[in-house]
Amino acid sequence: MRSACRGFSLIEVLVAFIVLSLALSVLMRIFSGGTHNAALASDYSHAVLLAETKLAAAGIEIPLQEGVAAGSADERYRWQTSARKLFAETEVPGALIPVGLFEVEARIMWQDGGKERAVVLNTLRVAPINAP
């Protein structure tokens, strides 16, 4: 009579490798999804910063007038700002000049893996009616 065999059979080793490969593929998907989400969060943060910059420049660096302006920040991000007059003239007690209320919108767009992504921020600005 033979004593009990020690070790693993070929079938047991193959099953162990299959289980290991499935577990590793799931872990790789989790890590790659996490890195993609981190990169996407970084893109959105950059786009929000760019939109805030464009909103801050409206009426200060760039005269506030009705219309649309567009351009690109770098090879990846495109921007578009629009200003729309909400009220033609607003009476402000004690104001020396007539002012108007403008709605300013900044839209930042970029491509991410074939998808068009965008961030849109709005604000209201007060500006003199006949500003140069």
Side-chain angles (χ1 to χ4, degrees):
M1 263 188 115
R2 294 179 60 191
S3 63
C5 294
R6 292 189 179 151
F8 295 104
S9 69
L10 180 61
I11 301 268
E12 291 170 332
V13 171
L14 287 176
V15 168
F17 275 128
I18 290 172
V19 169
L20 180 66
S21 65
L22 289 175
L24 286 177
S25 67
V26 168
L27 286 175
M28 290 300 289
R29 284 187 184 203
I30 289 171
F31 286 132
S32 69
T35 56
H36 175 71
N37 288 340
L40 188 59
S42 174
D43 290 343
Y44 273 106
S45 295
H46 185 72
V48 167
L49 180 65
L50 191 58
E52 287 175 345
T53 302
K54 293 299 176 185
L55 288 179
I60 297 172
E61 294 176 4
I62 303 166
L64 194 54
Q65 300 172 349
E66 284 191 286
V68 177
S72 62
D74 53 27
E75 63 272 352
R76 187 153 186 224
Y77 295 94
R78 298 180 326 275
W79 58 269
Q80 178 182 4
T81 59
S82 62
R84 178 174 68 99
K85 195 181 297 184
L86 293 179
F87 300 108
E89 192 170 316
T90 305
E91 290 292 327
V92 178
L96 299 176
I97 55 174
V99 293
L101 185 62
F102 289 84
E103 177 185 20
V104 182
E105 176 183 283
R107 178 181 299 269
I108 311 298
M109 295 131 330
W110 73 97
Q111 291 287 329
D112 176 44
K115 289 183 179 179
E116 178 79 15
R117 305 272 185 188
V119 169
V120 179
L121 297 181
N122 294 326
T123 190
L124 296 175
R125 290 289 170 117
V126 176
I129 294 293
N130 296 320

